[in-house]
Amino acid sequence: MSDSHSPTETRSTDQRRPSQSILRHVAIGSVLFTIAAVQPVAAQDSVVCSAEKLPGMVEGFFQITTTLGFIGLAVIWQADSLAEIFTASPEQKKRLKVHKRAALKSALILAVLGPLYTVVASIMGLPLGDCVNLTPW
């Protein structure tokens, strides 16, 4: 009778565990380093804010991408609604509804991300928080 776990399978699972542990330690270390490195950088004058047109360009880029995201949501929503009319299978209709919900979630995240970054950046004292407003409206 053969055992369901071969020695090579046991070795490969044992090798995955240390790599996950190492990955976790690297991630925690990089987060701590980032927090420690942001403090001195935030204390300096912001290069982004002192540039003439850069804050306006960042704001404009974010507004354009947000607008395109909402237009994409409208196009996907309408296309899926039209496709629902012509599909007979309940499984296809389910997939279309899931696709519409995923598009709506993406648009909501896009709408919330800019204002959230603006508030968090100003609270944390990040350089972009003072001179760039990422609120799309």
Side-chain angles (χ1 to χ4, degrees):
M1 299 212 152
S2 170
D3 188 35
S4 64
H5 296 289
S6 69
T8 56
E9 286 180 20
T10 307
R11 244 184 284 139
S12 67
T13 54
D14 289 342
Q15 289 174 350
R16 272 189 257 148
R17 287 189 183 121
S19 66
Q20 289 175 348
S21 176
I22 290 170
L23 184 62
R24 187 177 312 125
H25 287 298
V26 168
I28 291 171
S30 63
V31 167
L32 292 175
F33 175 75
T34 303
I35 291 171
V38 166
Q39 292 294 350
V41 172
Q44 299 173 0
D45 290 335
S46 174
V47 176
V48 175
C49 293
S50 64
E52 260 182 58
K53 297 180 182 180
L54 193 56
M57 288 173 58
V58 171
E59 289 174 7
F61 175 76
F62 187 79
Q63 288 174 353
I64 287 172
T65 55
T66 303
T67 303
L68 290 176
F70 286 134
I71 290 171
L73 168 68
V75 168
I76 288 172
W77 194 275
Q78 291 299 318
D80 285 347
S81 295
L82 183 66
E84 279 181 29
I85 294 171
F86 296 110
T87 56
S89 164
E91 183 180 318
Q92 288 177 335
K93 287 185 180 185
K94 250 188 218 179
R95 281 189 287 169
L96 288 170
K97 286 185 181 188
V98 167
H99 189 249
K100 283 168 57 173
R101 271 189 243 125
L104 183 62
K105 285 179 188 176
S106 297
L108 287 175
I109 289 171
L110 188 62
V112 169
L113 202 58
L116 181 67
Y117 177 78
T118 302
V119 170
V120 170
S122 64
I123 289 172
M124 291 178 63
L126 295 176
L128 282 178
D130 297 330
C131 63
V132 176
N133 182 12
L134 297 180
T135 308
W137 47 85

